Amino acid sequence: MQLAPHSSARRSAAGRAIAAGAACAVLLLTGCQGSRWETRTGEPDVPQRVLNLDLGLRNLEEDWAPADSQFTYGLHYAQTLTEGGHGFEVGFLLGSDSGTRSGFDIDSDLIEVYGGYHRAFHPISGGLLPYIGAGVGWFDGQITVGSVRDESKSAFGLYLQGGLGTWLNDRVLLSFGGRFVTGATLDFERGSDLDVTGIMPYVQLGVGF
């Protein structure tokens, strides 16, 4: 990806998001008791709290083209609070893509910080663990066209996600899922309004506590 003149500001924003997410994760992990899912699954060694590394491809609307397929990565923390699997989740995602249109290099960057409801269901056939999540996200996006424009705008939106996971051992969880976001519009002053609407298939590798 070609670096824009104000790419340092973009890196600074991404750095703040990473630092905030890491701080939240540390506080959550150190402030919670080491409870287990024994009453839900009958497996005392299955953790109730999971910290995941997310990797995915966020497919945005065509308005973002040619930089509308962002490689995305981030952290996701989920914790169940009841025997029925009800709980909460928080996390952040960083995504970027680049392309060329009419001879101009175009870069898109998107930061998402989110939190909401999380539900982990009872295991189904083959030991697979279904889960869903839904809540509110804060989105900060930036579009760079050549060396002329480098803008950053933010807005709030909604997300819905779900998938299936399987424990590789008593501490490592592998999950596959999909994520849908909508409701956030980034109002760029010198360009079009871009909706943060799209679907992101992803894979998660988690560590249970």
Side-chain angles (χ1 to χ4, degrees):
M1 179 182 299
Q2 179 177 344
L3 295 178
H6 301 288
S7 59
S8 59
R10 186 161 61 247
R11 290 194 300 269
S12 177
R16 289 194 299 270
I18 293 174
C24 290
V26 170
L27 289 174
L28 288 167
L29 293 175
T30 56
C32 299
Q33 298 296 322
S35 52
R36 295 289 186 264
W37 277 339
E38 182 174 4
T39 55
R40 292 181 48 235
T41 66
E43 300 178 6
D45 291 333
V46 176
Q48 185 181 21
R49 307 186 310 272
V50 182
L51 180 63
N52 298 289
L53 171 65
D54 289 12
L55 297 174
L57 185 67
R58 192 193 296 273
N59 299 298
L60 298 168
E61 290 190 331
E62 292 183 357
D63 291 344
W64 291 77
D68 54 347
S69 296
Q70 296 184 342
F71 171 73
T72 302
Y73 61 94
L75 291 178
H76 168 263
Y77 173 86
Q79 179 177 346
T80 57
L81 302 174
T82 71
E83 295 181 4
H86 302 279
F88 70 92
E89 61 184 17
V90 294
F92 71 92
L93 293 166
L94 307 176
S96 63
D97 190 20
S98 62
T100 302
R101 182 172 59 193
S102 302
F104 291 96
D105 293 329
I106 299 176
D107 297 335
S108 71
D109 297 89
L110 189 63
I111 299 172
E112 177 185 356
V113 180
Y114 63 89
Y117 170 76
H118 180 84
R119 172 74 189 277
F121 295 92
H122 290 281
I124 59 175
S125 177
L128 295 176
L129 303 168
Y131 67 91
I132 59 172
V136 177
W138 174 79
F139 301 88
D140 183 83
Q142 191 168 55
I143 295 291
T144 302
V145 181
S147 59
V148 177
R149 186 177 69 198
D150 192 0
E151 301 178 343
S152 178
K153 293 294 180 179
S154 60
F156 287 93
L158 303 174
Y159 76 88
L160 174 66
Q161 67 178 356
L164 293 171
T166 182
W167 289 99
L168 302 181
N169 54 43
D170 61 353
R171 286 295 180 271
V172 180
L173 178 67
L174 177 65
S175 304
F176 297 90
R179 180 181 184 84
F180 174 74
V181 298
T182 189
T185 300
L186 305 182
D187 184 13
F188 293 104
E189 296 178 357
R190 290 174 287 176
S192 303
D193 296 344
L194 297 181
D195 293 331
V196 184
T197 299
I199 298 175
M200 184 183 81
Y202 62 83
V203 59
Q204 290 180 329
L205 186 63
V207 177
F209 297 86

